[in-house]
């Protein structure tokens, strides 16, 4: 029986990817997709452990590599941003029970969601007194419009 170069190459590709690629398709149960170079790679939200299937990234990571919490990107719809391979709440948000919640409107950044949990203020309209951001002299806090 004669084998063509194409069938041998295809057989090698199948073996080299631990049966990830079958008839030009990646096994979706292994959380893999076909890359443009013909190899099976982990889908977004999963990382390659060297075994099958790919393992899930942590809930905070949109994409990750080598470990579940070693993030490459974060889900901005959850108000997360990347900081040293970790997803943290964006400025103006604080993590409460694992979810990024808005800071009090007077705070630029905060440690909690109350008016006395401010870490920084918008210095163009407010000044920091303890852990509160109060309006600059000559202005008043309009809580309805949420500005000074």
């Amino acid at each position: 029986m004669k084998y063509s170069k194409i069938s041998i190459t295809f057989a090698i590709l199948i073996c080299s990817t631990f049966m990830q690629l079958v008839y030009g398709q990646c096994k979706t149960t292994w959380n893999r997709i076909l890359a443009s170079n013909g190899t099976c790679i982990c889908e977004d939200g999963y990382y390659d452990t060297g075994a099958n299937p790919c393992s899930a990234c942590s809930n905070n990571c949109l994409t990750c590599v080598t470990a579940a919490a070693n993030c490459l990107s974060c889900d901005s719809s959850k108000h997360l941003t990347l900081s040293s391979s970790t997803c943290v709440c964006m400025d103006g948000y604080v993590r409460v029970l694992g979810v990024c919640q808005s800071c009090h409107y007077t705070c630029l950044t905060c440690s909690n969601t109350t008016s006395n949990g401010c870490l920084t203020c918008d210095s163009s309209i407010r000044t920091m007194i303890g852990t509160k951001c109060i309006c600059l002299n000559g202005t008043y806090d309009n809580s309805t419009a949420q500005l000074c």
Side-chain angles (χ1 to χ4, degrees), residues 1-144:
M1 179 178 209
K2 285 188 162 186
Y3 294 99
S4 71
K5 186 176 181 179
I6 293 172
S7 64
I8 292 170
T9 302
F10 185 70
I12 291 169
L13 181 60
I14 289 174
C15 291
S16 69
T17 57
F18 304 101
M19 296 300 289
Q20 295 171 16
L21 186 65
V22 179
Y23 301 110
Q25 299 288 320
C26 299
K27 289 186 80 172
T28 55
T29 56
W30 286 349
N31 307 310
R32 294 186 181 272
I33 58 172
L34 189 61
S36 59
N37 66 0
T39 62
C40 294
I41 59 171
C42 295
E43 298 174 343
D44 283 352
Y46 295 88
Y47 68 99
D48 198 340
T49 62
N52 288 309
C54 295
S55 293
C57 297
S58 76
N59 288 339
N60 294 329
C61 301
L62 200 56
T63 57
C64 64
V65 65
T66 67
N70 188 13
C71 305
L72 293 174
S73 63
C74 307
D75 189 347
S76 61
S77 71
K78 294 179 181 179
H79 309 288
L80 293 166
T81 189
L82 190 64
S83 176
S84 302
S85 301
T86 302
C87 293
V88 297
C89 294
M90 296 174 174
D91 282 352
Y93 293 86
V94 63
R95 192 176 304 274
V96 177
L97 300 174
V99 178
C100 295
Q101 300 288 325
S102 292
C103 293
H104 189 266
Y105 75 91
T106 59
C107 307
L108 191 59
T109 60
C110 61
S111 61
N112 63 55
T113 58
T114 66
S115 63
N116 63 352
C118 300
L119 296 173
T120 60
C121 309
D122 178 351
S123 60
S124 68
I125 59 170
R126 297 184 184 275
T127 189
M128 190 93 171
I129 302 292
T131 58
K132 289 187 172 201
C133 294
I134 60 168
C135 293
L136 295 174
N137 286 338
T139 62
Y140 70 97
D141 192 332
N142 182 337
S143 61
T144 304

